[in-house]
Amino acid sequence: MSEQSKDFTPDQDKLQEMIADSDTGGRSPEGIPAKVLWGVPLAWSLFQLWYASPLPYIFNIGLFNSTEARSIHLAFAVFLAFTAYPTFKSSPRNYIPIQDWIASLVGAFAAGYLFLFYNQLAERPGLPTTTDLVVSWVGLILVLEATRRALGPPLMIVAAVFLLYTFFGDMAPDMISWKGASTAKAMSHYYLTTEGMFGVALGVSTGLVFLFVLFGSLLEKAGAGNYFIRVAFALMGHMRGGPAKAAVVSSALTGLVSGSAIANVVTTGTFTIPLMKKVGFTAEKAGAVEVASSTNGQLTPPVMGAVAFLMVEYVGISYVEVIKHAFLPAMISYIALVYIVHLEALKANLKGLPRRHVPTFVGQIMGFGGTFVGLAALSAGLYYGLGWTKDVFGDATLYAVCVMIAIAYVGLVWYATKVPELETTFEINELPDPKPTIRAGLYYLLPVVVLIWCLVVERLSPSLSAFWASILMLVILVTQNWLKSIFRAEGGAMMDYMRQGVIDGLEGLVAGARNMIGIGVATAVAGIVVGTLTLTGVGALFAEVVEYLSGGYVLLMLILTAILSLILGMGLPTTANYIVVSSLMAPVIVTVGAEQGLIVPLVAVHMFVFYFGILADDTPPVAMAAFAASAISGGDPIRTGVQGFLYDIRTAILPFLFIFNTELLMIGIESWVHLVITIVTAIIAMLLFAAATQGFFIVRSRIWETVALLLIAFTLFRPGYWMDQIYPPLVSTPATQIYDVASELPENGQLRIRVKGETLEGAAVDKTVMLNMGETGSGEDRLMKAGLELREDEGKMIIDNVQFGSPAERQKLDFDWEVVSVEQEADRPDKQWFYIPALLLLFVVVTLQRRRLKAAGGDPAHA
């Protein structure tokens, strides 16, 4: 690496401009336009807080139904997109041209049309007037342009292609041809109902995403982002390649509430990338570590780049279930990235940063033990303590908890004043001491605790939970420095601190709204894609194409779906990314998989396409996160993206694994022992896979050792594969015994049946489906409750009736189809027996590599 590369320092103004261009808008006018760009986002945040709060129901004023709220939400987003984002990169940034003022006002009116004329539109459903159609066309075009300004052309182009298909489908190739839609029908569908732009995606953006993005912005404004970074460095910076490990941890913490991989890269990368280079990482590898860790932040609960809330709507499960399913893959992915960084440090014999005070071994053990015990005590106190208050205070529990949180907050702020304030410089030359660093911002964790408590324990709605967490965060923003000045007896400065706190709170609200501009317009435009699928039925054609190309091979079908998800996800923000790939590609896996007998829980399918859509952020040639990282590192953006994708291979392999082994998503876990075994083996397997892809374990691996590590990792991840080669996983039972099999299933057990027949269009169907049997009872009753009525005809079981809206109808079963057989799990040994030979082979590899390390005098880089 050249000296010039080593001395490269990023231009902070350019980095902030990059964040502005991608997230908050690149314009910074003066005078009245500046006040507008401050006041309108503030009004938007206040509207969203009011909409999420219980206050409208308490005072019975300002009540909005979901359609009205979506319309107002989009009106704010469109107005700000035209005023905050310049038309082109060369357009003026220090003032707002008159045409943009006009476009912003017209766009806001068109977006707000459903709110302004809600009653009139409700009285004429499906019968739009000329005015309705004109407003719809104008609004649709302006939202597309707003999306281009805020997010670039990719999403706009995708939506435009789907729009063209809607109107000119008769000119498409025969395989995907359709008759086309009239203007009245299309505009009613896209704009005047909740099937298109004002559909589920915009609803989730309005009701959920905004509050969580606002919460993240308030955390960042309060200084929590800097706190997370300093704590990560204090705890991990001294290790081999310590800055890179700290980058992974700090990006994970920032990604918990961040909705943007690019903002995550710039926020944490400004600190971490120069320090990684300082200890010996090349510019490309330093940038790649930050890219990989920031991208993975979008996969990490509880927010997942706001996709967690969309998944609730699209998959039809609770928010807590989404978090449960997403937790283990995200955790083992991050652990593996830390390990990859460790291996890179071993290969290059890199060291960490120096510590001010080196604790003794006993001190380290005491510190770790104290931290663990303290966290355990805090968790237990929160769970059981607040549970106890319910019994004592009853309906007054909310007020009692507020008092307890207030006391905890004041106490933690007082505790923080006993140590120096955290530095905010972009350069860390010497690691901060862990204990005072952790003490300095413990109170930042209180809003996170409140958020998780409301979501997981109280089971409040996500929007109401985020509302209370945001209110607490606002209180912290306004009062933290004022309280510190009191505890430090700084006298006359107290009112100045209070005044500055109010300003910081307002700035945090403004920043949160500006961070939502792109997401707001993106979810609306992504609704065009969803609306096209429901209007034209083209989604089924994707399944046919993939099935044809894959030749019926399930693994090849998954690979093709992954590649298409990567392509579709390039250049799209996280929320729009998920909407597009889940709408287009998730049905492909469900449909084609069922034809081949692969039955996968819907959440696993959505997680699969979501993972590959997100990996587009660090996949060249688009790789927006890689370009952001290279602006800091001074490295080549394409090579940074390629290296980042190589680091992310461990993430790319996970979706394939949890499609075939849903235990990785915490599905089918039967006991605590089973849970512990699943977590431990998954972590070991991912670490071994990471070691194999890096070609380095204890020392540099030989080819056969790399193959052995891959084999061991595969066995630990999916032991059932080897058992399937010896014992068939399923046995077929004649369909005439379906009632007996159904009656023997446990409560909510799954009945797996193979059916065949013909669709109304004459297409042959032969597929396997799963039906939930619900409560125990007779087989015939349980099938009836699942919506399926059968008749026996010459020894065959024929579907006689399918109840509308039932589980059977959702599986797209039809009249007169034949139930060919019932598939039951075979009685065979536990698949975990294959862990034993895998661990024995691991023991052999470890023994041989340790011998080579000893022969090299303990230097892994030269062993």
Side-chain angles (χ1 to χ4, degrees):
M1 184 168 50
S2 68
E3 287 300 315
Q4 183 180 2
S5 177
K6 283 183 180 179
D7 294 338
F8 180 86
T9 54
D11 186 328
Q12 297 301 326
D13 291 336
K14 287 186 178 180
L15 292 177
Q16 293 307 313
E17 185 178 316
M18 183 179 295
I19 294 179
D21 286 342
S22 66
D23 286 334
T24 61
R27 280 207 178 112
S28 54
E30 298 177 352
I32 293 177
K35 291 181 173 63
V36 171
L37 283 183
W38 191 87
V40 172
L42 177 62
W44 191 10
S45 287
L46 294 175
F47 164 75
Q48 295 287 165
L49 285 170
W50 176 264
Y51 178 64
S53 76
L55 298 178
Y57 302 95
I58 294 173
F59 299 107
N60 199 31
I61 58 171
L63 285 165
F64 303 98
N65 64 37
S66 61
T67 303
E68 291 172 321
R70 294 173 194 183
S71 179
I72 296 170
H73 178 85
L74 185 59
F76 274 115
V78 172
F79 179 88
L80 289 170
F82 280 103
T83 51
Y85 289 88
T87 310
F88 303 106
K89 288 187 176 180
S90 58
S91 299
R93 293 170 180 256
N94 58 348
Y95 69 93
I96 302 174
I98 185 65
Q99 65 269 22
D100 285 353
W101 282 115
I102 295 172
S104 65
L105 292 171
V106 173
F109 170 78
Y113 191 73
L114 269 69
F115 165 69
L116 296 171
F117 301 97
Y118 181 79
N119 292 330
Q120 295 91 319
L121 291 169
E123 291 172 357
R124 53 173 190 269
L127 299 171
T129 64
T130 302
T131 303
D132 294 339
L133 295 178
V134 171
V135 171
S136 300
W137 268 113
V138 171
L140 191 146
I141 291 169
L142 288 178
V143 170
L144 285 172
E145 168 59 13
T147 303
R148 184 198 66 81
R149 292 190 182 205
L151 304 169
L155 181 57
M156 184 203 71
I157 292 171
V158 170
V161 169
F162 277 83
L163 275 174
L164 289 173
Y165 176 73
T166 297
F167 292 107
F168 304 105
D170 57 329
M171 300 172 62
D174 289 342
M175 179 178 284
I176 60 172
S177 178
W178 89 296
K179 62 181 180 180
S182 66
T183 299
K185 182 178 180 180
M187 286 302 102
S188 292
H189 192 79
Y190 283 129
Y191 207 88
L192 301 176
T193 68
T194 55
E195 294 293 325
M197 286 177 52
F198 295 93
V200 171
L202 187 63
V204 173
S205 176
T206 305
L208 298 172
V209 177
F210 191 103
L211 268 294
F212 280 86
V213 170
L214 177 63
F215 177 63
S217 295
L218 293 173
L219 267 174
E220 181 63 34
K221 188 68 178 177
N226 180 57
Y227 173 69
F228 290 151
I229 293 170
R230 301 279 167 177
V231 169
F233 273 93
L235 295 176
M236 306 187 71
H238 64 283
M239 301 176 181
R240 280 184 180 271
K245 293 175 181 175
V248 175
V249 174
S250 58
S251 291
L253 292 171
T254 305
L256 291 177
V257 291
S258 171
S260 167
I262 297 172
N264 201 346
V265 166
V266 175
T267 301
T268 58
T270 304
F271 290 87
T272 59
I273 290 175
L275 289 173
M276 282 189 266
K277 294 173 65 180
K278 188 173 183 177
V279 298
F281 281 83
T282 64
E284 284 75 21
K285 286 188 175 181
V289 169
E290 183 58 50
V291 167
S293 53
S294 294
T295 301
N296 276 217
Q298 305 300 287
L299 306 173
T300 308
V303 177
M304 298 165 62
V307 163
F309 314 110
L310 287 164
M311 208 170 281
V312 168
E313 299 294 329
Y314 285 3
V315 180
I317 59 178
S318 71
Y319 174 77
V320 174
E321 287 180 287
V322 171
I323 299 307
K324 181 184 77 173
H325 297 321
F327 173 72
L328 184 56
M331 183 185 73
I332 62 177
S333 182
Y334 264 115
I335 291 173
L337 184 55
V338 172
Y339 184 58
I340 287 173
V341 167
H342 179 71
L343 295 177
E344 289 281 15
L346 282 177
K347 285 190 285 186
N349 199 23
L350 304 180
K351 305 298 181 183
L353 292 172
R355 291 190 285 188
R356 294 175 184 173
H357 308 290
V358 181
T360 63
F361 178 74
V362 174
Q364 288 178 307
I365 295 297
M366 292 290 289
F368 178 80
T371 302
F372 180 80
V373 171
L375 289 173
L378 177 63
S379 301
L382 283 169
Y383 190 87
Y384 296 106
L386 293 184
W388 168 76
T389 58
K390 282 187 174 181
D391 297 330
V392 174
F393 297 104
D395 294 338
T397 299
L398 175 62
Y399 304 104
V401 170
C402 288
V403 171
M404 293 168 63
I405 291 172
I407 294 171
Y409 168 55
V410 174
L412 287 174
V413 172
W414 170 82
Y415 190 58
T417 59
K418 304 306 176 184
V419 295
E421 284 287 318
L422 294 177
E423 296 179 3
T424 56
T425 57
F426 290 107
E427 188 173 358
I428 301 176
N429 293 313
E430 193 175 43
L431 291 179
D433 290 332
K435 187 175 180 180
T437 303
I438 293 171
R439 284 182 61 174
L442 277 174
Y443 60 89
Y444 290 132
L445 301 180
L446 277 177
V448 180
V449 169
V450 168
L451 176 64
I452 295 173
W453 168 262
C454 291
L455 286 169
V456 178
V457 180
E458 289 294 326
R459 298 296 179 99
L460 298 181
S461 68
S463 60
L464 190 55
S465 301
F467 168 77
W468 290 119
S470 298
I471 292 299
L472 178 56
M473 200 63 244
L474 274 171
V475 171
I476 290 174
L477 254 174
V478 172
T479 63
Q480 61 175 344
N481 291 326
W482 174 68
L483 282 174
K484 287 178 182 178
S485 70
I486 293 175
F487 292 134
R488 288 174 176 152
E490 294 179 356
M494 286 193 298
M495 292 310 297
D496 291 336
Y497 282 126
M498 177 61 82
R499 190 180 302 109
Q500 185 59 47
V502 172
I503 293 172
D504 288 343
L506 294 174
E507 291 287 352
L509 292 172
V510 171
R514 293 190 65 157
N515 283 333
M516 272 299 300
I517 299 172
I519 296 174
V521 294
T523 49
V525 170
I528 294 175
V529 176
V530 178
T532 302
L533 296 180
T534 57
L535 181 63
T536 67
V538 71
L541 300 175
F542 278 89
E544 292 179 13
V545 171
V546 171
E547 184 179 18
Y548 173 77
L549 293 175
S550 65
Y553 290 100
V554 172
L555 185 60
L556 184 56
M557 177 268 291
L558 291 173
I559 292 172
L560 288 171
T561 305
I563 293 171
L564 288 170
S565 297
L566 271 173
I567 295 171
L568 288 168
M570 287 184 177
L572 302 186
T574 303
T575 45
N577 188 322
Y578 170 70
I579 295 165
V580 171
V581 297
S582 64
S583 300
L584 294 177
M585 304 315 304
V588 172
I589 299 178
V590 173
T591 303
V592 179
E595 298 289 345
Q596 306 305 318
L598 175 67
I599 307 297
V600 184
L602 191 57
V603 67
V605 173
H606 278 251
M607 291 283 286
F608 181 94
V609 297
F610 173 49
Y611 264 58
F612 282 101
I614 288 301
L615 287 177
D617 277 346
D618 63 3
T619 305
V622 179
M624 297 301 294
F627 278 86
S630 64
I632 302 172
S633 69
D636 179 81
I638 299 299
R639 289 195 300 179
T640 299
V642 171
Q643 185 67 56
F645 184 76
L646 291 176
Y647 288 154
D648 265 341
I649 289 176
R650 87 223 179 277
T651 303
I653 202 70
L654 275 172
F656 289 97
L657 295 169
F658 59 59
I659 283 288
F660 294 104
N661 181 11
T662 54
E663 290 177 1
L664 294 174
L665 298 178
M666 306 283 196
I667 297 174
I669 301 295
E670 299 171 355
S671 65
W672 279 103
V673 174
H674 191 182
L675 175 63
V676 170
I677 291 173
T678 300
I679 293 174
V680 170
T681 53
I683 291 173
I684 294 173
M686 184 52 77
L687 296 181
L688 295 177
F689 179 81
T693 57
Q694 292 297 302
F696 202 99
F697 187 28
I698 299 172
V699 296
R700 196 171 301 279
S701 298
R702 291 168 180 166
I703 293 178
W704 76 267
E705 290 173 334
T706 296
V707 174
L709 290 174
L710 289 173
L711 182 62
I712 296 165
F714 177 78
T715 303
L716 294 178
F717 269 130
R718 199 186 164 205
Y721 174 82
W722 303 113
M723 190 62 73
D724 292 347
Q725 309 308 308
I726 302 173
Y727 298 96
L730 300 169
V731 292
S732 293
T733 301
T736 52
Q737 299 180 27
I738 187 171
Y739 295 136
D740 295 332
V741 175
S743 66
E744 294 170 0
L745 286 171
E747 185 175 356
N748 293 320
Q750 299 287 321
L751 180 68
R752 183 184 183 114
I753 59 175
R754 179 174 161 232
V755 298
K756 67 178 182 181
E758 283 189 1
T759 65
L760 292 174
E761 293 78 19
V765 175
D766 186 346
K767 66 179 182 178
T768 304
V769 300
M770 299 278 277
L771 290 176
N772 188 304
M773 288 292 97
E775 298 177 356
T776 56
S778 70
E780 191 168 359
D781 287 344
R782 299 182 81 179
L783 281 168
M784 285 280 288
K785 290 178 181 177
L788 196 62
E789 296 180 36
L790 304 174
R791 71 175 189 273
E792 189 170 352
D793 187 356
E794 298 180 356
K796 296 180 180 180
M797 299 302 292
I798 307 299
I799 297 177
D800 197 38
N801 186 32
V802 178
Q803 296 177 17
F804 179 76
S806 67
E809 196 263 343
R810 288 195 293 271
Q811 293 290 347
K812 298 184 178 178
L813 300 180
D814 211 341
F815 304 98
D816 291 332
W817 286 10
E818 179 188 354
V819 178
V820 180
S821 61
V822 182
E823 309 290 335
Q824 293 179 276
E825 290 187 7
D827 184 15
R828 59 182 190 170
D830 290 336
K831 61 186 178 182
Q832 284 80 9
W833 283 108
F834 281 96
Y835 290 159
I836 295 175
L839 294 175
L840 288 175
L841 180 57
L842 177 61
F843 176 76
V844 172
V845 174
V846 169
T847 301
L848 294 175
Q849 292 211 357
R850 285 181 66 85
R851 286 180 183 174
R852 296 209 298 275
L853 178 64
K854 185 177 181 180
D859 184 0
H862 297 91

